[in-house]
Amino acid sequence: MANFAKPSAPRFSVDVYQNEFLPEGGRDVHAIVTVTATGGGSVTRGTPADGSAAVVIMVDCSGSMEYPPEKMRGAREATAAAIDTLRDGTAFAVIAGTHVAKEVYPGRGRLAVADPATRAQAKEALRSLTAGGGTAIGTWLRLADGLLRGSTAAIRHGILLTDGRNEHEEPAVLRATLDACAGRFTCDARGVGTDWEVKEVTGIAGALLGSADIVADPAHLAEDFTRMMEKVMGKEVADVSLRLWTPVGAEIQYVKQVAPSVQDLTARRTDTGPRAGDYPTGSWGDESREYHVCVRVPGAAVGQEMLASRVTLLRPRGAGGEPEAVLAQGLVRAVWTNDVAASTAINPQVAHYTGQAELAQAIQQGLEARKLGDVDGATAKLGRAVQLASASGNADTARLLSKVVDVVDAVAGTVRLKAKVADADEMTLETRSTQTVRVKKS
């Protein structure tokens, strides 16, 4: 493990957990890569920003936000709470989203700079937010992208709130918008109430490397928005990439973030050389994330060993001409052996996160089967999910599962589907299905 960082910036480290031993001819190497950033500057509400962050808040103002009226009121209060959480010097704007996108504050295609006066003006402007019209989320994102592209801030972030389905825009238009915005800014997405589409909201957050969640009760929106904005204000390094180099004959099979949530990055690869590719990880504050890397190497004889992949954490070239910076590195190895015990052992970290990825998939497949009326399929998949959650100590997911199924035997995965399930409980389980629990340290 090696560390490279300026003293004033967070210090990054890379740790690789794997069983490097393969049987003769074995080809697939699995590793969990833990990336940790520590020691960044202390961030509080009173800490002035250095102009390195820009945030756009997108508020759903479609007609359904007035039913019940608590949703629109909660959205105004939540947006005001987020504005209060901005540090002085942060660039920001507020957008009202319906079947079109409109600038609420500051307007004229620009961003405001947070200080006591602009925060007060922005909160006053929120009084104009009223419900009416349809929903075309791509227009909101395109306006946010245009505003953020006009900023020189390194940290560019969006917060998006919706209560309904994207009914006034073709799915292909939203997909094209997300493809265009990917890499330009990150975005957290929230669904309020229970009339929105989980796959749409999680798809937006996934494409833009942000978080997704449900806020079933509008009364909790302000608390959620405050937490989100506090995390954004804690980001200090933007556009960090994992670069994976492989030797001749070796190929990356997949790269998945597995903690704090499951997110497949395999298709996000950008080739940077004949045998190297970058995978985006977004912006970082003081935090730790884990990635599952699978490399397929050429089969070899007993006694041979090779470097399967070099993992490099990179900060890209800065807009001001700063050079690309190596933040940390780690190595994935392959060693061929005839020791059966060594080659068949599964690394605990690899086993744990493989199970967490299977847990997320089992929940999603089980809920889909339930919606289709496939009782046997839903029971089998959700039973397996209960079993995996119990074995890994994922208490939060186990609690959410217990609202959808009656658990007979958690260890065996024996469950019965509940006859009646609240929409909020089912949607919460689906939205949070990809959230994982860390491996237990021995």
Side-chain angles (χ1 to χ4, degrees), residues 388-429:
L388 289 164
S390 173
S392 64
N394 195 330
D396 288 342
T397 299
R399 176 179 54 81
L400 295 175
L401 280 161
S402 70
K403 295 184 177 183
V404 176
V405 297
D406 292 315
V407 180
V408 178
D409 185 337
V411 174
T414 306
V415 303
R416 288 190 297 266
L417 298 185
K418 288 184 181 290
K420 292 184 179 180
V421 177
D423 288 343
D425 290 334
E426 183 175 1
M427 291 177 72
T428 301
L429 175 61

Side-chain angles (χ1 to χ4, degrees), residues 245-334:
W245 173 91
T246 51
V248 174
E251 293 182 346
I252 301 297
Q253 296 301 291
Y254 58 78
V255 179
K256 299 177 184 178
Q257 178 184 289
V258 288
S261 62
V262 178
Q263 192 170 78
D264 195 339
L265 301 177
T266 309
R268 306 284 188 89
R269 177 185 174 105
T270 300
D271 288 334
T272 55
R275 297 189 301 277
D278 287 2
Y279 300 84
T281 69
S283 302
W284 287 72
D286 277 20
E287 60 189 298
S288 180
R289 304 180 204 169
E290 304 195 68
Y291 301 87
H292 186 168
V293 175
C294 177
V295 187
R296 182 159 293 169
V297 296
V302 169
Q304 290 192 279
E305 60 180 89
M306 69 177 293
L307 175 62
S309 179
R310 180 184 298 112
V311 181
T312 305
L313 197 69
L314 289 170
R315 187 187 65 215
R317 297 182 189 279
E322 301 89 348
E324 181 178 85
V326 174
L327 302 171
Q329 285 187 340
L331 304 177
V332 179
R333 301 173 62 240

Side-chain angles (χ1 to χ4, degrees), residues 199 357-386 388 401 404-405 415-418 421 426 429-430 433:
K199 288 182 174 62
E358 184 189 350
L359 170 59
Q361 186 177 55
I363 290 171
Q364 291 160 11
Q365 291 175 343
L367 290 177
E368 185 63 25
R370 184 179 178 278
K371 291 174 185 175
L372 296 173
D374 180 0
V375 174
D376 291 342
T379 302
K381 290 296 183 181
L382 293 174
R384 176 58 175 160
V386 166
L388 289 164
L401 280 161
V404 176
V405 297
V415 303
R416 288 190 297 266
L417 298 185
K418 288 184 181 290
V421 177
E426 183 175 1
L429 175 61
E430 185 177 1
S433 62

Side-chain angles (χ1 to χ4, degrees), residues 134-223:
T135 305
I137 295 175
T139 65
W140 317 353
L141 292 166
R142 288 193 292 276
L143 178 54
D145 183 36
L147 292 170
L148 290 168
R149 273 190 288 168
S151 170
T152 58
I155 307 292
R156 300 171 304 281
H157 198 87
I159 289 177
L160 185 149
L161 173 70
T162 185
D163 82 320
R165 294 171 175 83
N166 198 42
E167 293 176 337
H168 295 83
E169 185 175 59
E170 290 296 324
V173 174
L174 178 58
R175 284 196 299 271
T177 299
L178 291 171
D179 289 343
C181 294
R184 294 212 282 251
F185 68 97
T186 55
C187 185
D188 294 320
R190 295 293 184 267
V192 60
T194 57
D195 294 326
W196 47 280
E197 180 63 47
V198 172
K199 288 182 174 62
E200 280 182 354
V201 171
T202 56
I204 291 165
L208 301 180
L209 298 176
S211 66
D213 207 351
I214 179 174
V215 185
D217 185 349
H220 297 150
L221 274 173
E223 177 186 354

